[in-house]
Amino acid sequence: MIDTNNINSVFDAKVIDPDGQKVGTVKQVYVDNTDGHPLFASVSTGLFGTSESFVPPRGRRPDR
């Protein structure tokens, strides 16, 4: 689970789908201003990482 203690470890981490296929790479993490918990992560996707998608971090774990 991504939380305030390990948020820095997810930058440049590979994002995979439930089938184990690479989706993209984490580029930014957006946090709540009041308590610092992660709200969304931006993931570079597409050919050469030219697109960016936003994903909720809930229920995910930071594997490298």
Side-chain angles (χ1 to χ4, degrees):
M1 177 78 89
I2 300 169
D3 61 25
T4 56
N5 295 321
N6 63 2
I7 214 165
N8 288 331
S9 68
V10 300
F11 292 104
D12 292 324
K14 180 172 57 170
V15 177
I16 57 171
D17 68 13
D19 296 326
Q21 300 297 311
K22 183 177 178 182
V23 174
T25 305
V26 175
K27 293 301 175 191
Q28 298 181 53
V29 177
Y30 295 86
V31 298
D32 186 293
N33 287 336
T34 57
D35 65 5
H37 76 274
L39 297 172
F40 290 93
S42 69
V43 178
S44 65
T45 59
L47 187 61
F48 304 115
T50 56
S51 296
E52 195 167 4
S53 299
F54 292 90
V55 296
R58 290 183 298 274
R60 310 301 182 252
R61 59 177 200 243
D63 292 340
R64 285 220 172 228

